[in-house]
Amino acid sequence: LSAALIFFLIILVDYILLSGKKYQIEDEIIASGKTGENLVYKELKALKKEDKEYLLYRNLQLKLQEFDFILIGENGIFNIEVKHYAGENTKIKIAEDGKWTKEKNRKIIEISNPEDQVERHRDVLNDIFGDKYPIIDFLVLTNDKNFIEGSNNTKLRLVKLSNLTNLIKNYKSEKPLSKEDISSIKSLIKENAES
């Protein structure tokens, strides 16, 4: 075999191996996300069982955006985004410039800033409801073994899974929702939901 053919074969094998690794990583991210969502769903379902007045939506599609959870109660509309950064002793760092990184086993990688996603979701909710109802954004970090550094560098309400239901139950809205408000919100969601 010629040197050029051998070189081409080496590059081809590397490409195939790296592509397989890429898909494996994407599969791990999806599985990790589902793990986090299932943990939050379990908590919110228990809260709804305790207080049947709450309306709970999971993986709701509104105006081309998929919401992890929307929980509606007399104390407001909770826009809940979930992140499950896998691994023990993983440090999530939020820099002053808004960049998010994840450090695990001394390896640092940049991760997407969930603030952008939460803001897009809030924009959709504001478009549907206007400023008539209080919207409370939560970013729930479901792996309690993660360390967060620089939480003061984000506008997001970062919530550990273990604190989620207490924060919701004890949240005091300046403008509580009536049964009529909740019924109206439910209708607006139904009108705008994509199947």
Side-chain angles (χ1 to χ4, degrees), residues 22-108:
K22 177 185 170 197
Y23 291 120
Q24 179 185 357
I25 290 169
E26 286 174 4
D27 289 345
E28 287 171 7
I29 290 169
I30 290 168
S32 181
K34 291 295 175 200
T35 297
E37 285 183 24
N38 288 336
L39 290 167
V40 170
Y41 182 63
K42 184 178 171 187
E43 292 291 316
L44 294 177
K45 201 168 140 186
L47 174 63
K48 186 170 170 22
K49 188 175 183 181
E50 185 181 312
D51 184 345
K52 294 177 183 0
E53 297 298 315
Y54 280 109
L55 294 175
L56 176 61
Y57 297 92
R58 181 180 187 184
N59 297 326
L60 179 66
Q61 293 274 345
L62 295 170
K63 300 193 178 210
L64 304 176
Q65 293 288 318
E66 183 176 323
F67 291 74
D68 289 343
F69 295 96
I70 295 177
L71 182 75
I72 301 158
E74 68 177 26
N75 53 350
I77 300 168
F78 294 89
N79 171 27
I80 302 170
E81 181 63 28
V82 178
K83 295 295 177 202
H84 184 82
Y85 299 110
E88 290 188 30
N89 302 321
T90 298
K91 181 168 43 170
I92 307 301
K93 185 174 180 180
I94 307 164
E96 287 181 19
D97 64 1
K99 286 187 182 163
W100 286 51
T101 55
K102 179 172 86 167
E103 181 180 346
K104 183 177 173 185
N105 301 328
R106 296 186 201 155
K107 184 178 178 184
I108 299 172

Side-chain angles (χ1 to χ4, degrees), residues 101-134:
T101 55
K102 179 172 86 167
E103 181 180 346
K104 183 177 173 185
N105 301 328
R106 296 186 201 155
K107 184 178 178 184
I108 299 172
I109 58 168
E110 190 170 333
I111 55 178
S112 63
N113 181 342
E115 196 167 320
D116 300 333
Q117 186 177 10
V118 172
E119 285 179 7
R120 282 193 309 273
H121 291 176
R122 175 178 265 282
D123 289 344
V124 167
L125 294 176
N126 283 332
D127 189 43
I128 293 170
F129 305 128
D131 59 359
K132 193 173 179 182
Y133 308 114

